[in-house]
Protein backbone atom coordinates (compact mmCIF):
# COMPACT_ATOMS: atom_id res chain seq x y z
CA UNK A 1 0.00 0.00 0.00
CA UNK A 2 1.25 3.50 -0.83
CA UNK A 3 2.09 5.87 2.00
CA UNK A 4 1.81 9.62 2.53
CA UNK A 5 4.46 11.34 0.40
CA UNK A 6 5.67 14.68 1.83
CA UNK A 7 7.40 15.62 -1.43
CA UNK A 8 4.78 15.03 -4.10
CA UNK A 9 1.03 15.06 -3.68
CA UNK A 10 -0.71 11.81 -4.61
CA UNK A 11 -4.00 12.20 -6.45
CA UNK A 12 -6.54 9.43 -6.89
CA UNK A 13 -8.02 9.36 -10.38
CA UNK A 14 -10.47 7.34 -12.43
CA UNK A 15 -8.28 5.15 -14.63
CA UNK A 16 -10.26 5.92 -17.79
CA UNK A 17 -9.20 9.58 -17.51
CA UNK A 18 -5.57 8.54 -18.01
CA UNK A 19 -6.42 6.75 -21.25
CA UNK A 20 -6.78 3.23 -19.86
CA UNK A 21 -9.26 1.28 -21.97
CA UNK A 22 -11.45 0.23 -19.08
CA UNK A 23 -14.89 1.51 -20.01
CA UNK A 24 -17.82 -0.79 -20.71
CA UNK A 25 -17.37 -0.34 -24.48
CA UNK A 26 -13.64 -1.03 -24.33
CA UNK A 27 -12.81 2.65 -24.70
CA UNK A 28 -11.54 5.38 -22.41
CA UNK A 29 -12.24 9.01 -21.50
CA UNK A 30 -8.68 10.31 -21.66
CA UNK A 31 -8.34 13.81 -20.23
CA UNK A 32 -5.71 15.92 -21.95
CA UNK A 33 -5.72 18.28 -18.97
CA UNK A 34 -4.96 15.50 -16.49
CA UNK A 35 -2.48 13.67 -18.72
CA UNK A 36 -0.51 16.63 -20.07
CA UNK A 37 -1.07 19.87 -18.20
CA UNK A 38 -0.92 18.86 -14.55
CA UNK A 39 0.57 15.34 -14.47
CA UNK A 40 4.12 16.46 -13.67
CA UNK A 41 2.93 18.05 -10.41
CA UNK A 42 1.30 14.94 -8.95
CA UNK A 43 1.65 11.19 -8.55
CA UNK A 44 -1.55 9.57 -9.82
CA UNK A 45 -3.21 6.59 -8.17
CA UNK A 46 -5.57 5.22 -10.87
CA UNK A 47 -8.57 3.09 -9.95
CA UNK A 48 -11.33 1.48 -12.00
CA UNK A 49 -13.79 -0.31 -9.69
CA UNK A 50 -15.46 -2.27 -12.49
CA UNK A 51 -12.17 -3.71 -13.71
CA UNK A 52 -11.05 -4.35 -10.14
CA UNK A 53 -13.99 -6.68 -9.50
CA UNK A 54 -13.26 -8.61 -12.68
CA UNK A 55 -15.91 -7.27 -15.05
CA UNK A 56 -13.44 -6.82 -17.91
CA UNK A 57 -13.71 -4.55 -20.95
CA UNK A 58 -15.77 -4.50 -23.03
CA UNK A 59 -18.60 -5.56 -20.72
CA UNK A 60 -22.32 -5.17 -20.23
CA UNK A 61 -23.08 -1.65 -18.97
CA UNK A 62 -24.36 -1.25 -15.43
CA UNK A 63 -26.51 1.38 -13.74
CA UNK A 64 -27.85 2.41 -10.35
CA UNK A 65 -31.30 1.16 -9.42
CA UNK A 66 -33.03 2.39 -6.28
CA UNK A 67 -35.52 0.39 -4.27
CA UNK A 68 -36.52 2.49 -1.26
CA UNK A 69 -33.26 3.29 0.50
CA UNK A 70 -31.35 0.45 -1.13
CA UNK A 71 -29.12 1.08 -4.16
CA UNK A 72 -28.44 -1.80 -6.53
CA UNK A 73 -25.82 -1.81 -9.30
CA UNK A 74 -27.13 -3.91 -12.17
CA UNK A 75 -27.39 -4.19 -15.91
CA UNK A 76 -30.59 -2.79 -17.42
CA UNK A 77 -31.91 -6.29 -18.21
CA UNK A 78 -31.14 -7.54 -14.69
CA UNK A 79 -28.79 -10.31 -15.86
CA UNK A 80 -25.78 -8.76 -14.09
CA UNK A 81 -25.86 -7.68 -10.45
CA UNK A 82 -22.55 -6.48 -8.99
CA UNK A 83 -23.95 -4.63 -5.98
CA UNK A 84 -22.22 -6.73 -3.33
CA UNK A 85 -18.93 -7.00 -5.22
CA UNK A 86 -18.72 -3.25 -5.79
CA UNK A 87 -19.62 -2.40 -2.21
CA UNK A 88 -17.07 -4.86 -0.84
CA UNK A 89 -14.33 -3.65 -3.16
CA UNK A 90 -15.12 0.01 -2.47
CA UNK A 91 -15.02 -0.47 1.29
CA UNK A 92 -11.64 -2.21 1.15
CA UNK A 93 -10.03 0.07 -1.44
CA UNK A 94 -11.16 3.33 0.11
CA UNK A 95 -9.78 2.24 3.48
CA UNK A 96 -6.32 2.09 1.86
CA UNK A 97 -6.36 5.65 0.48
CA UNK A 98 -5.72 7.80 3.54
CA UNK A 99 -2.46 9.04 1.97
CA UNK A 100 -4.18 10.85 -0.93
CA UNK A 101 -4.26 14.62 -1.24
CA UNK A 102 -7.20 14.77 -3.64
CA UNK A 103 -9.27 12.78 -6.12
CA UNK A 104 -10.39 13.38 -9.72
CA UNK A 105 -13.43 11.33 -10.75
CA UNK A 106 -15.15 10.50 -14.03
CA UNK A 107 -18.60 12.07 -14.27
CA UNK A 108 -21.88 10.16 -14.66
CA UNK A 109 -20.32 6.81 -13.79
CA UNK A 110 -22.41 4.46 -11.58
CA UNK A 111 -19.21 3.79 -9.63
CA UNK A 112 -17.20 7.02 -9.85
CA UNK A 113 -19.72 9.81 -10.49
CA UNK A 114 -19.57 12.48 -7.79
CA UNK A 115 -23.07 13.87 -8.38
CA UNK A 116 -26.04 13.80 -10.77
CA UNK A 117 -25.59 10.13 -11.65
CA UNK A 118 -28.77 8.71 -13.13
CA UNK A 119 -30.68 6.53 -10.67
CA UNK A 120 -33.47 4.33 -11.98
CA UNK A 121 -36.51 3.21 -10.08
CA UNK A 122 -35.92 -0.47 -9.43
CA UNK A 123 -36.95 -2.64 -12.37
CA UNK A 124 -37.99 0.30 -14.58
CA UNK A 125 -36.47 2.77 -17.03
CA UNK A 126 -37.70 5.75 -15.04
CA UNK A 127 -34.57 7.64 -14.03
CA UNK A 128 -33.54 10.86 -12.39
CA UNK A 129 -30.13 12.50 -11.98
CA UNK A 130 -29.83 12.42 -8.23
CA UNK A 131 -27.35 9.63 -7.58
CA UNK A 132 -23.71 9.27 -6.54
CA UNK A 133 -21.45 6.48 -7.76
CA UNK A 134 -21.01 3.59 -5.31
CA UNK A 135 -17.23 4.00 -5.03
CA UNK A 136 -17.36 7.81 -5.01
CA UNK A 137 -19.94 7.82 -2.20
CA UNK A 138 -17.81 5.62 0.02
CA UNK A 139 -14.71 7.69 -0.73
CA UNK A 140 -16.40 10.96 0.23
CA UNK A 141 -18.07 9.48 3.30
CA UNK A 142 -14.81 8.09 4.66
CA UNK A 143 -12.76 11.23 3.89
CA UNK A 144 -15.25 14.12 4.06
CA UNK A 145 -12.51 16.78 3.90
CA UNK A 146 -10.64 15.23 0.97
CA UNK A 147 -10.79 17.51 -2.10
CA UNK A 148 -12.82 15.60 -4.70
CA UNK A 149 -13.86 16.87 -8.12
CA UNK A 150 -15.08 15.54 -11.45
CA UNK A 151 -12.74 16.01 -14.40
CA UNK A 152 -15.30 17.83 -16.54
CA UNK A 153 -15.89 20.46 -13.86
CA UNK A 154 -12.18 21.29 -13.81
CA UNK A 155 -12.67 23.07 -17.12
CA UNK A 156 -14.51 25.76 -15.14
CA UNK A 157 -11.60 27.97 -14.01
CA UNK A 158 -12.98 29.05 -10.59
CA UNK A 159 -13.86 25.42 -9.76
CA UNK A 160 -10.38 24.33 -10.89
CA UNK A 161 -8.68 26.98 -8.78
CA UNK A 162 -10.77 26.12 -5.75
CA UNK A 163 -10.05 22.40 -6.09
CA UNK A 164 -6.28 22.77 -6.29
CA UNK A 165 -6.24 25.37 -3.52
CA UNK A 166 -7.88 22.75 -1.32
CA UNK A 167 -5.53 20.00 -2.54
CA UNK A 168 -2.42 21.94 -1.54
CA UNK A 169 -3.92 23.07 1.77
CA UNK A 170 -5.05 19.52 2.58
CA UNK A 171 -1.56 18.25 1.87
CA UNK A 172 -0.02 21.03 3.96
CA UNK A 173 -2.16 20.05 6.95
CA UNK A 174 -1.27 16.37 6.64
CA UNK A 175 2.43 17.25 6.51
CA UNK A 176 1.85 19.10 9.79
CA UNK A 177 -0.03 16.13 11.22
CA UNK A 178 2.78 13.76 10.22
CA UNK A 179 5.29 15.93 12.10
CA UNK A 180 3.15 15.85 15.25
CA UNK A 181 0.68 18.47 16.44
CA UNK A 182 1.71 21.09 18.97
CA UNK A 183 -0.15 24.19 20.11
CA UNK A 184 2.50 26.30 18.45
CA UNK A 185 2.44 24.68 15.00
CA UNK A 186 -1.37 24.64 14.85
CA UNK A 187 -1.46 28.36 15.66
CA UNK A 188 1.25 28.98 13.08
CA UNK A 189 -0.74 27.06 10.46
CA UNK A 190 -3.83 29.15 11.20
CA UNK A 191 -1.80 32.36 10.98
CA UNK A 192 -0.31 31.38 7.61
CA UNK A 193 -3.78 30.83 6.16
CA UNK A 194 -5.36 34.01 7.54
CA UNK A 195 -5.86 35.85 4.25
CA UNK A 196 -6.67 32.70 2.33
CA UNK A 197 -9.54 31.99 4.73
CA UNK A 198 -10.65 35.63 4.66
CA UNK A 199 -10.86 35.51 0.87
CA UNK A 200 -13.16 32.50 1.06
CA UNK A 201 -15.40 33.53 3.93
CA UNK A 202 -14.39 36.23 6.44
CA UNK A 203 -17.25 35.49 8.84
CA UNK A 204 -16.45 31.79 9.14
CA UNK A 205 -12.77 32.67 9.48
CA UNK A 206 -13.60 34.82 12.50
CA UNK A 207 -15.76 32.03 13.92
CA UNK A 208 -12.89 29.56 13.59
CA UNK A 209 -10.41 31.59 15.63
CA UNK A 210 -11.94 31.10 19.12
CA UNK A 211 -11.54 27.34 18.73
CA UNK A 212 -7.78 27.84 19.05
CA UNK A 213 -7.95 30.35 21.91
CA UNK A 214 -7.84 27.60 24.52
CA UNK A 215 -6.04 24.40 23.55
CA UNK A 216 -5.85 22.91 27.02
CA UNK A 217 -8.01 19.92 26.06
CA UNK A 218 -7.33 16.96 23.78
CA UNK A 219 -5.06 18.45 21.10
CA UNK A 220 -5.85 15.80 18.48
CA UNK A 221 -9.58 16.39 18.90
CA UNK A 222 -9.17 20.17 18.74
CA UNK A 223 -7.01 19.80 15.62
CA UNK A 224 -9.58 17.57 13.90
CA UNK A 225 -12.43 19.97 14.72
CA UNK A 226 -10.36 22.91 13.49
CA UNK A 227 -9.45 21.18 10.23
CA UNK A 228 -13.07 20.30 9.52
CA UNK A 229 -13.99 23.98 9.78
CA UNK A 230 -10.90 25.00 7.83
CA UNK A 231 -11.74 22.79 4.85
CA UNK A 232 -15.40 23.80 4.93
CA UNK A 233 -14.30 27.43 4.54
CA UNK A 234 -11.98 26.65 1.64
CA UNK A 235 -14.75 24.74 -0.13
CA UNK A 236 -16.65 28.03 -0.40
CA UNK A 237 -15.54 29.80 -3.56
CA UNK A 238 -13.58 32.97 -2.94
CA UNK A 239 -15.32 36.07 -4.29
CA UNK A 240 -13.92 39.18 -5.93
CA UNK A 241 -15.22 41.24 -3.01
CA UNK A 242 -13.48 39.07 -0.41
CA UNK A 243 -10.30 38.89 -2.46
CA UNK A 244 -10.29 42.68 -2.66
CA UNK A 245 -10.69 42.99 1.10
CA UNK A 246 -7.82 40.54 1.72
CA UNK A 247 -5.57 42.42 -0.71
CA UNK A 248 -6.37 45.74 0.96
CA UNK A 249 -5.51 44.30 4.37
CA UNK A 250 -2.14 43.17 3.01
CA UNK A 251 -1.66 46.56 1.36
CA UNK A 252 -1.79 48.13 4.82
CA UNK A 253 1.44 46.39 5.84
CA UNK A 254 3.36 48.41 3.24
CA UNK A 255 2.12 51.90 4.13
CA UNK A 256 5.33 52.82 5.98
CA UNK A 257 7.62 51.51 3.25
CA UNK A 258 6.18 52.48 -0.13
CA UNK A 259 6.56 55.81 -1.85
CA UNK A 260 3.42 57.75 -2.76
CA UNK A 261 3.74 56.55 -6.35
CA UNK A 262 4.11 52.92 -5.26
CA UNK A 263 1.12 53.15 -2.93
CA UNK A 264 -0.95 54.60 -5.75
CA UNK A 265 0.19 51.86 -8.15
CA UNK A 266 -0.76 49.08 -5.73
CA UNK A 267 -4.08 50.70 -4.83
CA UNK A 268 -4.93 51.13 -8.51
CA UNK A 269 -4.10 47.50 -9.32
CA UNK A 270 -6.41 46.32 -6.51
CA UNK A 271 -9.15 48.68 -7.69
CA UNK A 272 -8.89 47.48 -11.28
CA UNK A 273 -9.04 43.89 -10.08
CA UNK A 274 -12.14 44.73 -8.03
CA UNK A 275 -13.72 46.25 -11.12
CA UNK A 276 -12.98 43.15 -13.17
CA UNK A 277 -10.54 44.96 -15.44
CA UNK A 278 -7.54 42.76 -14.71
CA UNK A 279 -6.84 39.39 -13.05
CA UNK A 280 -5.83 39.00 -9.43
CA UNK A 281 -2.40 37.98 -10.69
CA UNK A 282 -1.57 41.67 -11.23
CA UNK A 283 -1.90 42.95 -7.63
CA UNK A 284 -0.49 39.64 -6.36
CA UNK A 285 2.62 40.12 -8.51
CA UNK A 286 3.06 43.67 -7.23
CA UNK A 287 2.71 42.56 -3.62
CA UNK A 288 5.28 39.81 -4.09
CA UNK A 289 7.60 42.32 -5.74
CA UNK A 290 7.30 44.75 -2.82
CA UNK A 291 7.87 41.90 -0.38
CA UNK A 292 11.24 41.24 -1.97
CA UNK A 293 12.09 44.91 -1.62
CA UNK A 294 10.59 45.35 1.87
CA UNK A 295 10.59 41.93 3.61
CA UNK A 296 7.67 41.49 6.03
CA UNK A 297 7.85 37.99 7.55
CA UNK A 298 4.17 37.76 8.54
CA UNK A 299 3.02 38.58 5.00
CA UNK A 300 5.77 36.54 3.35
CA UNK A 301 4.45 33.49 5.19
CA UNK A 302 0.89 33.95 3.95
CA UNK A 303 -0.10 30.95 1.83
CA UNK A 304 -2.62 33.23 0.13
CA UNK A 305 0.13 34.82 -1.95
CA UNK A 306 1.43 31.51 -3.33
CA UNK A 307 -1.14 28.75 -2.69
CA UNK A 308 -0.05 26.52 -5.59
CA UNK A 309 2.67 26.38 -8.27
CA UNK A 310 2.53 29.21 -10.81
CA UNK A 311 2.88 26.63 -13.58
CA UNK A 312 -0.69 25.50 -12.90
CA UNK A 313 -1.87 28.95 -14.10
CA UNK A 314 -4.71 29.10 -11.58
CA UNK A 315 -4.52 32.79 -10.74
CA UNK A 316 -6.24 33.56 -14.04
CA UNK A 317 -9.49 32.18 -12.61
CA UNK A 318 -10.38 35.59 -11.11
Amino acid sequence: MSQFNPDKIQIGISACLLGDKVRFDGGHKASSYCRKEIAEHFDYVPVCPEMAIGMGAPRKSIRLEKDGDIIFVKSADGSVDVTDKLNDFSDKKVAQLDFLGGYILCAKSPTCGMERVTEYKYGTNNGWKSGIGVYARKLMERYPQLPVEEEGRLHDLPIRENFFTRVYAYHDWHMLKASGFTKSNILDFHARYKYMLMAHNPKLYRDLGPLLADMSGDLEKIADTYFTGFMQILKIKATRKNHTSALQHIQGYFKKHLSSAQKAELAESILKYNQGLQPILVPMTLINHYLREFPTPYIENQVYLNPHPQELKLRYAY
Side-chain angles (χ1 to χ4, degrees), residues 113-299:
M114 186 181 83
E115 61 181 15
R116 294 179 57 77
V117 178
T118 301
E119 283 182 328
Y120 294 88
K121 184 177 180 180
Y122 188 81
T124 77
N125 286 318
N126 299 324
W128 54 93
K129 294 182 178 181
S130 57
I132 300 173
V134 173
Y135 175 76
R137 182 188 295 276
K138 290 184 180 292
L139 176 75
M140 294 187 290
E141 286 177 350
R142 187 174 182 98
Y143 308 111
Q145 311 314 326
L146 180 72
V148 177
E149 194 51 85
E150 289 182 339
E151 187 276 339
R153 284 168 48 89
L154 293 179
H155 296 285
D156 180 300
L157 291 181
I159 290 176
R160 179 190 299 181
E161 197 274 341
N162 179 269
F163 173 68
F164 286 110
T165 292
R166 288 185 288 130
V167 165
Y168 280 91
Y170 188 91
H171 182 74
D172 193 7
W173 176 261
H174 282 82
M175 287 181 65
L176 180 70
K177 185 175 183 177
S179 70
F181 290 131
T182 67
K183 295 178 183 179
S184 177
N185 64 21
I186 293 173
L187 288 170
D188 177 68
F189 181 92
H190 183 61
R192 289 191 296 110
Y193 278 89
K194 174 179 178 178
Y195 293 111
M196 174 74 79
L197 295 170
M198 286 181 62
H200 284 257
N201 192 295
K203 179 185 182 301
L204 292 181
Y205 162 73
R206 290 190 294 270
D207 292 344
L208 193 60
L211 180 64
L212 304 181
D214 177 14
M215 289 194 282
S216 59
D218 184 331
L219 198 59
E220 288 281 343
K221 185 175 181 180
I222 292 170
D224 287 345
T225 302
Y226 169 80
F227 186 58
T228 296
F230 174 87
M231 291 303 293
Q232 286 174 347
I233 294 173
L234 290 191
K235 200 167 185 178
I236 300 169
K237 290 181 190 175
T239 65
R240 191 175 295 273
K241 177 183 176 182
N242 289 341
H243 270 309
T244 299
S245 177
L247 291 168
Q248 288 172 336
H249 274 84
I250 293 173
Q251 179 187 19
Y253 282 85
F254 293 103
K255 62 184 178 182
K256 295 181 180 179
H257 304 290
L258 303 184
S259 67
S260 296
Q262 289 172 322
K263 290 178 184 176
E265 181 183 30
L266 181 54
E268 183 181 14
S269 72
I270 295 173
L271 176 63
K272 285 186 175 180
Y273 161 70
N274 186 48
Q275 295 171 335
L277 300 176
Q278 59 189 20
I280 198 171
L281 183 64
V282 177
M284 287 287 191
T285 300
L286 259 182
I287 287 170
N288 280 310
H289 168 73
Y290 289 142
L291 276 174
R292 289 190 292 271
E293 192 171 349
F294 309 105
T296 307
Y298 182 73
I299 299 301

Side-chain angles (χ1 to χ4, degrees), residues 24 34 43 62 83 106 109 154 163 166 193 205-206 264 267 318:
F24 74 94
C34 292
D43 282 339
I62 53 176
T83 306
C106 178
S109 164
L154 293 179
F163 173 68
R166 288 185 288 130
Y193 278 89
Y205 162 73
R206 290 190 294 270
Y318 295 94

Side-chain angles (χ1 to χ4, degrees), residues 14-33:
S14 295
C16 59
L17 298 176
L18 296 182
D20 293 359
K21 295 180 179 180
V22 296
R23 285 176 56 77
F24 74 94
D25 58 1
H28 58 75
K29 293 198 72 175
S31 164
S32 177
Y33 179 69

Side-chain angles (χ1 to χ4, degrees), residues 35-49:
R35 295 175 69 193
K36 298 179 180 179
E37 295 189 44
I38 63 172
E40 67 180 276
H41 298 282
F42 307 103
D43 282 339
Y44 286 135
V45 179
V47 178
C48 175

